[in-house]
Amino acid sequence: MSTDTTQSSDPDPDSGDPGRADAEDIAQLQARIDELEDELSAVRSEVGDGQKKMTIIATKGTFDMAYPPLILASTAAAFGWDVVVFHTFWGLDILHEDKSKDLKMSAVGNPSMPMPNAIASLPFMDSMATKMMEKKIDEQGTATIEELIEMSLDTGVDLQACQMTMELMDYDEDEMYDDVTTGVGAATALEHMADADIQLLI
């Protein structure tokens, strides 16, 4: 009687080979993961990521008017919003590294300045009003304009400089703060504004 036995080179799936069974389970699991990721990606494309957007147009370059857009922008970004601040005309001075450090308050026509316009229009009044506000800011520990710009950039705010205004004012890109987005046109700002939840003109 022969004792020779024939052995198959391919393992029988019903033979209880744990290695093959594990490989099949992993392959099926990976296929299911890929399928679920595709479904999740499709859902995200339909409903969006839920991130709120805000666009601010900054048009004024006085000391007091530099604060509102920077405060609102840095606060919104801290909450995870997608924030763009488009600086045009005198608002561009906020992003100019030298000019931003010498912005002045306007005493004329300012309802918060309790003085007649005849006095407010004197040459030294704007500088005096600015010095008084700077002193108050220092006493209260309020952030300076430079600190708010740095804070805004650090939190992901896109501070944009209007290209047309830069050419009009003969400003160079190197004169702007680092990380400021230059070469931006009005059309680009409008595109972000069209999709924004909040649009502000300051």
Side-chain angles (χ1 to χ4, degrees):
M1 178 182 291
S2 173
T3 59
D4 293 339
T5 59
T6 303
Q7 294 182 349
S8 174
S9 59
D10 296 329
D12 185 351
D14 298 326
S15 64
D17 183 353
R20 178 166 182 171
D22 288 346
E24 290 178 348
D25 289 344
I26 291 173
Q28 292 176 358
L29 180 60
Q30 185 61 52
R32 181 55 179 159
I33 290 173
D34 293 341
E35 181 183 348
L36 290 173
E37 287 181 344
D38 291 340
E39 292 177 1
L40 180 59
S41 178
V43 170
R44 284 176 174 171
S45 298
E46 291 178 3
V47 302
D49 57 11
Q51 185 182 33
K52 292 185 177 181
K53 294 184 178 182
M54 179 168 69
T55 303
I56 301 174
I57 310 299
T59 63
K60 298 178 178 63
T62 58
F63 181 86
D64 50 332
M65 293 307 296
Y67 273 86
L70 294 173
I71 291 173
L72 291 171
S74 58
T75 301
F79 283 112
W81 291 25
D82 175 14
V83 185
V84 165
V85 185
F86 182 72
H87 297 75
T88 185
F89 269 77
W90 306 122
L92 190 60
D93 285 351
I94 300 171
L95 301 182
H96 193 285
E97 196 161 3
D98 291 333
K99 291 183 178 295
S100 67
K101 298 172 183 176
D102 194 35
L103 299 180
K104 297 289 190 295
M105 288 188 63
S106 178
V108 177
N110 192 332
S112 297
M113 301 292 291
M115 64 179 68
N117 283 338
I119 298 177
S121 62
L122 294 174
F124 59 86
M125 290 307 299
D126 285 354
S127 295
M128 179 181 294
T130 303
K131 291 296 182 184
M132 290 173 60
M133 182 57 69
E134 287 176 339
K135 181 180 178 181
K136 189 173 184 63
I137 287 171
D138 183 60
E139 291 174 350
Q140 296 297 322
T142 304
T144 64
I145 292 173
E146 293 87 352
E147 289 171 341
L148 284 174
I149 290 173
E150 182 179 352
M151 187 186 307
S152 296
L153 292 170
D154 287 345
T155 53
V157 176
D158 187 6
L159 298 179
Q160 298 181 349
C162 174
Q163 180 62 32
M164 185 189 73
T165 306
M166 287 188 63
E167 294 173 359
L168 179 66
M169 305 296 186
D170 197 26
Y171 289 165
D172 191 87
E173 292 182 8
D174 295 336
E175 298 174 319
M176 302 294 121
Y177 282 93
D178 292 339
D179 298 324
V180 165
T181 304
T182 57
V184 181
T188 302
L190 287 172
E191 286 180 5
H192 190 275
M193 183 179 290
D195 295 331
D197 299 286
I198 297 175
Q199 308 96 6
L200 300 173
L201 175 65
I202 298 177

